[in-house]
Amino acid sequence: MPIITVEHLSKHFKVYKRRTGFWGNLSSTFSREHDIIKAVDNVNFTLERGELVGYIGANGAGKSTTIKMLTGILVPTSGHIDVMGLMPYRHRKENTRRIGVVFGQRTQLWWDLPVIDSFELLKHIYEIPQNLYKQNLEFFSELLQLQPFLSTPVRRLSLGQRMRCDLTAALLHNPEILYLDEPTIGLDVVAKEQVRQFLRQVNAERQVTVILTTHDLNDVEKVCQRLIIIDSGKIIYNGAIDALKKRYGKTRLLIVDLAQAYSDIQLEGVDLTRRDGNRIWLAFDRDTTSASEVIAQLTARYEIQDLTISEPEIEEIVRRIYELGMH
Amino acid sequence: MIKKYLTFTVKAFQRTLTYRFELWMELLINVLFMLVYVYLWKALYTGRTSVEGYDLNGILTYIVVSQTLLTFTFTLRIARIIEEKVRTGEVVTDLMKPIDFQLMTLATAAGTSSHTALFNMLPKFLLFYGAFGLSLPPSLLTLSLFIMSVVLGYVILFSIEFIIGIFAFWLVEIRGLYAFVIWGLAMLFSGYFLPLEFYPTFLAKVAAVLPFRAIIYFPTAIYTGQFIGEHLVTALLIQLAWVGALVGIGRLGYRAAFRKLVIQGG
């Protein structure tokens, strides 16, 4: 049985239009026109216990809105959410006891208090038995090397240190699900790698179900088994990362700098995916078309200054899916 | 359950220790203000023995006790804290915890204010008590009833600030509302400036229907012995009623606020 079931989930926001100028302001006061923004639009997915899933999308795609509905702090406009048999917004307190949440942009630690005091407070808030608390604190301090700054006030921690403490704070009460909203944002490469390794380990050793949103596709590639891509409130991909790579990874990309901006570019077996001045991006299927054929065609018809071939990384695949939609 | 919230009190108490300089400044300014008030009343009483039942010693005691209690009003800052939480979105973090927001806020405030009471109000009071030969409450019973009344008054002040803070969910800016209620209404009607007996009849009538006099005037009048017997019991019952009403309104308010936040998004 899935730990999370989301069916036909939608969240619409009313955005009031503001007219400018004096009369505009005045008329806005009396009658307000609004647009409906479909932040999440008929989304369906399930998560099994112990899965580690990446939930990605561009800014404003609906990632955080989905997470907020799953954690129970936002009520869906329509649709159904089942998290461990609970309706999150209706059973908010009960739900919060069994989940851990980390927002990369925000800390749940008390700014002025030493880290350890925040953990103590959480022990009481979640009513964690003393022996479990001690055991967990030791486990996470060891794994994330928290010892050197446990008695430092949170406001004096570096972003990387703070994130390690926030991860601990979210896991002290042994949650069954961990929601992470951009956990690696702003971190340097070393700190990012530390967080990723930690998530893999927590997921493997403690069977915590993890759902993480991110902009950094390295997070997804290195941590997650499954990927859900959301765009304009709709899910456009839901499946294994390998499958995505296989499906879209056949495409190679040729980046060409032309000598001049040709108005009309016609090539066989090649898609012109992007154009920026004299630079063009050409995609082609490596099974049916070879790079030399494409280059031969190009040099025969146009004057070329420079070119590079790139194998598609997950980042490129996802960017193309955002831009072109699923085919 | 109670322990969960007591931790907030303890942590808030500790946290106050981080801002020692600010506390000393507050204490200093407040002591200077109290000195001015004391000398003002001394001057006003020249050639008089008693006004509205207060002799010089009585009025000085009233002024020092009420000025000391006023410290809660300008150190509580609960409305500001809630506004800040709403503005920064930190309130979402509170929503994600298995905890009652109102109780948590009260527990936190109690921690900060216990610190204020111990390290600001008590020394300040003792200083003036010694320097001007003020009176103590007539009996130990009065003293305990006074303390009870102070606590009830404190919860009333807290609840009013809490309600103002909750308005931050709808209004972008609550500083105006805060100033009007706390620096306007509360200052005028709480009786910190002078005993409410000195007020013209219509102002006294307005004060009687508002909760503010229960914050400072009631406990002070119990301390000085103005309220005795039936009068004193009525005062405590009025305080209890206001506590019930204002805590209730605060609760309804934050439920509505959270519902708004949760339905419309933050």
Side-chain angles (χ1 to χ4, degrees), chain A residues 57-68:
Chain A
N59 280 325
K63 298 183 305 263
S64 294
T65 307
T66 313
I67 297 290
K68 281 182 179 163

Side-chain angles (χ1 to χ4, degrees), chain A residues 225-244:
Chain A
Q225 301 127 4
R226 182 149 71 97
L227 183 62
I228 298 176
I229 306 176
I230 184 167
D231 192 38
S232 308
K234 287 185 162 67
I235 288 185
I236 55 173
Y237 183 81
N238 179 359
I241 292 175
D242 292 343
L244 185 73

Side-chain angles (χ1 to χ4, degrees), chain A residues 83-279:
Chain A
V83 177
M84 300 172 286
L86 301 170
M87 276 169 86
Y89 63 92
R90 192 156 296 168
H91 311 113
R92 185 172 57 81
K93 270 198 199 169
E94 173 59 23
N95 184 51
T96 55
R97 261 182 246 281
R98 298 168 64 183
I99 62 168
V101 187
V102 175
F103 289 115
Q105 314 253 41
R106 180 170 291 155
T107 180
Q108 65 158 319
L109 305 165
W110 281 262
W111 205 242
D112 302 314
L113 294 178
V115 175
I116 189 74
D117 286 19
S118 283
F119 292 162
E120 287 278 329
L121 257 169
L122 291 167
K123 179 182 94 177
H124 291 288
I125 292 173
Y126 288 98
E127 292 159 306
I128 309 167
Q130 179 61 27
N131 54 347
L132 178 67
Y133 169 75
K134 247 189 95 191
Q135 200 182 313
N136 277 348
L137 188 61
E138 268 168 32
F139 178 83
F140 294 121
S141 307
E142 168 100 30
L143 201 56
L144 292 166
Q145 291 146 23
L146 306 180
Q147 213 60 50
F149 47 86
L150 270 181
S151 49
T152 309
V154 174
R155 67 187 134 87
R156 276 198 248 132
L157 297 182
S158 75
L159 196 56
Q161 291 172 331
R162 208 211 72 203
M163 181 45 64
R164 275 137 75 192
C165 294
D166 259 308
L167 285 168
T168 305
L171 288 162
L172 278 175
H173 58 289
N174 277 6
E176 293 163 65
I177 305 173
L178 179 63
Y179 297 99
L180 301 151
D181 198 5
E182 304 192 23
T184 58
I185 198 162
L187 300 185
D188 63 43
V189 183
V190 181
K192 275 185 181 179
E193 198 42 57
Q194 234 175 347
V195 169
R196 287 170 193 151
Q197 206 195 322
F198 174 77
L199 292 178
R200 281 194 297 260
Q201 200 166 344
V202 163
N203 172 252
E205 289 177 16
R206 311 191 136 224
Q207 277 75 52
V208 180
T209 309
V210 181
I211 178 162
L212 96 106
T213 79
T214 183
H215 281 293
D216 188 334
L217 291 161
N218 282 318
D219 289 347
V220 178
E221 209 163 5
K222 291 182 176 163
V223 175
C224 305
Q225 301 127 4
R226 182 149 71 97
L227 183 62
I228 298 176
I229 306 176
I230 184 167
D231 192 38
S232 308
K234 287 185 162 67
I235 288 185
I236 55 173
Y237 183 81
N238 179 359
I241 292 175
D242 292 343
L244 185 73
K245 272 184 161 174
K246 249 180 228 155
R247 189 161 164 194
Y248 293 91
K250 288 192 300 186
T251 314
R252 291 170 122 179
L253 201 65
L254 190 64
I255 303 162
V256 186
D257 286 327
L258 298 166
Q260 51 171 293
Y262 294 97
S263 57
D264 187 33
I265 292 166
Q266 292 287 333
L267 293 162
E268 282 146 42
V270 177
D271 283 335
L272 176 66
T273 59
R274 220 174 129 199
R275 185 169 187 157
D276 185 11
N278 287 1
R279 177 171 286 192

Side-chain angles (χ1 to χ4, degrees), chain A residues 11 13 74-75 92 106 112, chain B residues 7 19 88 95 262-264:
Chain A
K11 180 71 193 177
F13 293 109
L74 211 53
V75 179
R92 185 172 57 81
R106 180 170 291 155
D112 302 314
Chain B
T7 328
Y19 301 104
T88 60
L95 266 170
V262 158
I263 290 174
Q264 299 178 359

Side-chain angles (χ1 to χ4, degrees), chain B residues 240-252:
Chain B
L240 267 177
W242 276 119
V243 166
L246 292 168
V247 167
I249 292 170
R251 218 169 175 71
L252 291 177

